[in-house]
Amino acid sequence: MRFFPVLSVLVSLAFAAASAKDDYPVNAKGYSGVIKAKRSLNILLSNDDSWASANIRATYYALKTAGHNVLMVAPAQQQSGTGGTVNLPKQATLSGPGRGGSLPQSAPYRGANASDPGLTYFDGTPAACTLFGLDQVVPDFFKGKAVDLAVTGPNEGTNLGPFLYTLSGTLGSSYVVVERGIPAIAFSASTAIRDYKTLNYDNASDESIIIAKYTANLVSTLGDSQSHEKRSNPEAGVLPLGLGGTVNYASGVGQVANCSKANWIHTRMTGGAYIDRINIGSNGLPQYENIVAPGLNRCLSGDCSLPGEQDSVNKDKCAATLSIYSVDYDAPTAAQHLLKHRVDGAVKTLNSKSGKPKSKRSL
Ligand SMILES: *[C@@H]1O[C@H](CO)[C@@H](O)[C@H](O)[C@H]1NC(C)=O
Ligand SMILES: *[C@@H]1O[C@H](CO)[C@@H](O)[C@H](O)[C@H]1NC(C)=O
Ligand SMILES: *[C@@H]1O[C@H](CO)[C@@H](O)[C@H](O)[C@H]1NC(C)=O
């Protein structure tokens, strides 16, 4: 394996990319059942498990099989649990070898697969990868055309509920893209931690390939149903401006023995969702335990009649949940009313003469 700085690879292999579109593993036997999209999207693909994860590679080829243009910009190393943190490289070469020996530590902080310029890595957190991708890789790769959608994951493990929403790098790399004004959907699955080298793209029973197919089919179905309004209209695009999606696949979805198909459910993030409780383990060190806590599960915004993600996967091992979020984290009007009177009162008191501190000393 040889690695080149991404720029020279992008230039020298731009032609190869165009002609490689129908090359294996695109359209491999495992991808039978992938829906051909009517509308081809420019997709930025990332994750937090690294560019060497089986799930992201399987999804890259599933999306290409559907007819989309895909650029992967994913972390060189495992970056789980980093949420929306933006850590950029501090040196010209990698801070450590790529996951599973996929890159030597001497490789540049950014680079591409030697035979496919659409498969790139970046030595940063997941959110840094998608932001770097949008500004430094996308313009050349999509030749000035805009990204229609960012897809992140599918994560090696589910990310259910609001606590995981803030914590997960799969979600973090996704919501920063929504904040930039581009639709994004994060995908998380109950799949094994696996290297892409273990994939057999002809195996329709491979869990990463099954999950990749569901992922591509959701993307194409939503893409084909998008509004045809002009881009300047905030409702145009795969998702309206400021909204994102998060998908979780329940434990049986990746296994043909358990689920002949996924049961898609429109869900919400609260509802049986977990947060951590910290215990001291038998080794004397703190460890976390999942608990259902009330603050995390009060429905304050959105449609409270929708089932919770966690509740849904607990009930149905073939569930594929789709929740829609907004990056406007303010409490909605109905919830503001619960506190409006007291907040307005406190603001008034603090701004009145008597409410101000009398002297510096009293601070
Ligand atoms: C580069 O991509 C080819 C397929 O195009 C694959 O066989 C090879 O393992 C990849 N290497 C890395 C490090 O991604
Ligand atoms: C296909 O994947 C399934 C599920 O992981 C596995 O049991 C089977 O051995 C695989 N078959 C081949 C030919 O790789
Ligand atoms: C899937 O099916 C296998 C074989 O029947 C079973 O052992 C396994 O527990 C099932 N997995 C889930 C998540 O239900």
Side-chain angles (χ1 to χ4, degrees), residues 270 273 275 291-299:
T270 64
I275 188 173
I291 56 160
V292 179
L296 189 72
N297 285 297
R298 179 174 189 188
C299 180

Side-chain angles (χ1 to χ4, degrees), residues 131 134-135 146-150 173-184 231-244 325 327:
L131 295 178
L134 285 179
D135 297 318
V147 172
D148 297 302
L149 178 72
S173 58
S174 180
Y175 55 66
V176 295
V177 175
V178 176
E179 288 162 0
R180 285 284 298 268
I182 296 161
R231 249 176 200 284
S232 53
N233 182 328
E235 313 318 325
V238 180
L239 298 173
L241 188 63
L243 298 185
Y325 64 82
V327 290

